[in-house]
Amino acid sequence: MSDHAPAPAGRRIALIAHDNKKQDMIEWAEYNLDLLAGHELFATATTGHLLQQQLGLPVTCFRSGPYGGDQQIGARIAEGEIDLLVFLWDPLEPHPHDPDVKALLRVAVVCNIPVACNRATADFMISSPLMGRRHQQWDPASGPARRDQAALKVAQAV
């Protein structure tokens, strides 16, 4: 698969924001509303509902993060059904579901999808000319056996 092949019509983007970062997510999404409109959006419950209500964006909502939403999105990433992750997490607050957060970030890295954890990186990612190109999720240098092993580890962690 060529790096220069056209991308699908729209990307599948997961949006997650911890409580102290929800306003940042709303502001970021509003700033990038035109860019987000051409993509399929997924989110954890509260974040998704806020994006729907305040900005009118169509969003597929999963459970709230602490109730399994992070794991649901992680599973979608492991299955190759999420292309990008914007996860505005709060590094200054403790989270009872911290193992889920760590598992989500791990699966995103293992599956080689772009991840933004702050607004600046999210801006660079969503406006990148690479958004218009096909992306190889799995590291092609790892080979099929390594990829299958990594997918198994991710599935066991999630």
Side-chain angles (χ1 to χ4, degrees):
M1 177 180 341
S2 168
D3 286 337
H4 300 289
R11 300 289 183 155
R12 298 162 300 182
I13 303 174
L15 305 170
I16 304 173
H18 282 161
D19 289 343
N20 290 342
K21 298 294 183 174
K22 294 209 188 301
Q23 186 59 40
D24 282 347
M25 179 64 81
I26 296 298
E27 291 171 8
W28 176 81
E30 184 174 28
Y31 181 78
N32 291 290
L33 197 57
D34 291 341
L35 292 172
L36 288 171
H39 302 285
E40 189 176 359
L41 305 178
F42 300 87
T44 48
T46 308
T47 301
H49 293 311
L50 286 170
L51 291 167
Q52 289 171 337
Q53 293 166 357
Q54 294 188 23
L55 302 178
L57 285 169
V59 180
T60 299
C61 295
F62 294 102
R63 296 177 141 232
S64 177
Y67 294 99
D70 295 338
Q71 291 180 350
Q72 288 177 304
I73 290 177
R76 282 287 190 89
I77 292 169
E79 294 296 325
E81 297 173 8
I82 298 288
D83 301 311
L84 294 95
L85 173 62
V86 177
F87 186 8
L88 303 184
W89 60 282
D90 187 353
L92 302 178
E93 291 292 323
H95 301 282
H97 66 294
D98 199 53
D100 296 342
V101 170
K102 188 172 182 179
L104 174 62
L105 293 171
R106 181 185 317 109
V107 73
V109 170
V110 168
C111 292
N112 195 35
I113 69 163
V115 178
C117 294
N118 59 46
R119 286 175 63 173
T121 306
D123 282 337
F124 276 90
M125 191 167 68
I126 196 73
S127 64
S128 170
L130 297 176
M131 286 289 286
R133 293 185 185 169
R134 186 167 302 282
H135 174 71
Q136 176 69 39
Q137 269 193 329
W138 298 97
D139 181 358
S142 66
R146 176 78 173 116
R147 182 185 68 219
D148 292 343
Q149 179 186 13
L152 179 61
K153 284 183 181 181
V154 166
Q156 291 170 343
V158 176

